[in-house]
Structure formats: C-alpha cells, structure tokens
Amino acid sequence: MPDAIAYVDGFNLYHGLKSKYGRAYLWLDIVELVQRMRRDDTVRAVKYFTAIVKGEPDAARRQETYLAALTAHRPQVQVIRGHFKVKNMRISCRACGAQWQCQCQPPQQRYRTYEEKLTDVALATEMVRDAALGNGDLSLLVSTDTDFLPAIQASLELAPTRPIMVACPPGRGSPSRFDGMVTSFPIREEHLRASLLPDSVPDHGLVRQRPDKWA
C-alpha cells in the first residue's frame, strides 16, 4: 500500500466546514478522515498547518483544546504553527474623515486587524521538501487555495511520478483551479460524519473535552 503524507491547510478546512455545516464537524479526526478518503493508502503522516487566532480568547482556547486532543489521539499528526500579525488598515473614519487614528470621542473607526503569517509558506516548503527527499509515495493536499500552485508545480518537477491529490473542503472553490495537474475530489459529508474525535480525549493525565459550542 502506498504511503500517503497529508498537508492540511487548517484555516481553509475550518472555514469550509463552518460555512457548509456550522460547527458540526470541527472536532475532526484528520487521520481518520484521510484514511477514509484514501482507503488503499497508508497514512504515514498528517502535517496540520494553522495559527492561533488573536483578539478572540474563547476561540483561541477552543483551538488549543482541539489541537491538544488531536495530537494526543493521533501521534502521527504534526502541528506546524504560524502566527497572526497585527495589520493596520488605512481606512478613513466616516464621521471625522481622519485616517489611522480616529478623532471622534469615543472613536468610531477601528484600524487594527490581524493577518495570518507563515502557515502557507510552511505548508508549501514541507510539500516540496518531502517530494525532493522521497518521503512517502504520494502527497495529499487538503485545501483549494491556489497559492499552493507553485508548490505543486515544484513537487511535480522534482518527483514526476509522485501523485498529488487535492481533497477539496466544502464550499472552498472548484478543483478545476488546479488545471488538471492533480487528482482532486470533494470531501464528502459521510466521511466527515464518520471521522469525529471522541467527545473526551485522554492526554497525559488530562482530559480534552469537546467544546460545548462545537457539540
């Protein structure tokens, strides 16, 4: 059986699941999902790329709980973290017309937001590195972000016989974006439904509980 290495774009998957199914499938066993999608392959590793959200403490706690539960339940999952960086937006206040710093009392306009950094670069690097080193027999990308096209092209140049599969999260764009370079397929709800973590996951003497908001 071929060894598969999966590369999961955490936010692409999260937003696709949430937009289509709400929070029903966020407590997801990624290894089980990959195995169900690729029944004839052995899941050698799952590399999960994400960043902890900023400015939303409750959401960040749920995210940390999930990552701890996932890696405790599935040791073959490697979480590679990026980060969120403060981004100042140049937007004029509709009330006073000021930019960068609203002059209204109280201020009417926010200028701070956050942007995800490094996760896409890290995923692309890992995919190309594994292709170059011959780690595993095939690559499975869980994302429809076309920013990964250069990584796919480089992987195919380095390892022309290494198949690249793309599992498309719900509602995240058409597989045709990849111009026939890969074999793509949608993630089916029946596989999601059968691939949830246990509600309670033991973790070195602790118990990671599925968040009530994700029930």
Side-chain angles (χ1 to χ4, degrees):
M1 298 173 68
D3 285 345
I5 299 182
Y7 309 86
V8 182
D9 178 354
F11 279 99
N12 194 272
L13 176 60
Y14 169 85
H15 288 297
L17 293 175
K18 192 175 178 184
S19 68
K20 180 74 172 179
Y21 303 116
R23 297 180 174 89
Y25 302 125
L26 299 183
W27 193 244
L28 189 62
D29 182 345
I30 301 290
V31 175
E32 180 67 22
L33 176 64
V34 172
Q35 193 63 75
R36 286 180 178 275
M37 293 190 297
R38 302 295 305 165
R39 291 186 181 276
D40 294 331
D41 302 331
T42 299
V43 183
R44 176 172 170 180
V46 172
K47 301 185 180 184
Y48 187 94
F49 299 82
T50 191
I52 302 301
V53 296
K54 293 287 188 183
E56 300 179 60
D58 290 342
R61 280 192 289 272
R62 289 192 294 271
Q63 193 177 3
E64 290 282 16
T65 297
Y66 169 65
L67 295 176
L70 178 62
T71 52
H73 190 68
R74 294 293 192 179
Q76 62 268 60
V77 174
Q78 178 185 359
V79 176
I80 298 95
R81 299 187 184 215
H83 64 271
F84 277 91
K85 180 181 178 182
V86 173
K87 182 179 181 181
N88 291 317
M89 302 293 290
R90 185 165 184 159
I91 304 173
S92 298
C93 174
R94 293 180 180 178
C96 69
Q99 291 183 337
W100 300 108
Q101 187 169 354
C102 179
Q103 301 301 313
C104 300
Q105 293 299 327
Q108 301 297 310
Q109 178 64 55
R110 286 188 176 183
Y111 294 90
R112 173 173 289 185
T113 186
Y114 300 94
E115 61 179 341
E116 185 185 358
K117 303 293 287 185
L118 299 181
T119 50
D120 287 359
V121 173
L123 190 156
T125 300
E126 284 294 310
M127 179 182 287
V128 174
R129 177 187 292 140
D130 287 338
L133 296 177
N135 294 331
D137 302 311
L138 65 88
S139 299
L140 174 64
L141 173 64
V142 182
S143 179
T144 53
D145 190 338
T146 52
D147 285 348
F148 296 124
L149 274 171
I152 290 172
Q153 291 168 337
S155 297
L156 291 172
E157 290 173 7
L158 290 165
T161 62
R162 180 189 180 96
I164 298 179
M165 313 288 174
V166 173
C168 303
R172 299 308 290 176
S174 168
S176 63
R177 291 175 167 194
F178 293 99
D179 298 327
M181 291 187 298
V182 300
T183 300
S184 58
F185 51 88
I187 297 175
R188 291 155 54 183
E189 186 177 9
E190 65 189 81
H191 290 159
L192 293 168
R193 189 181 301 114
S195 301
L196 295 175
L197 291 166
D199 285 345
S200 300
V201 177
D203 179 17
H204 300 93
L206 301 174
V207 176
R208 306 294 181 180
Q209 193 73 31
R210 180 175 180 170
D212 291 340
K213 199 167 185 178
W214 291 8

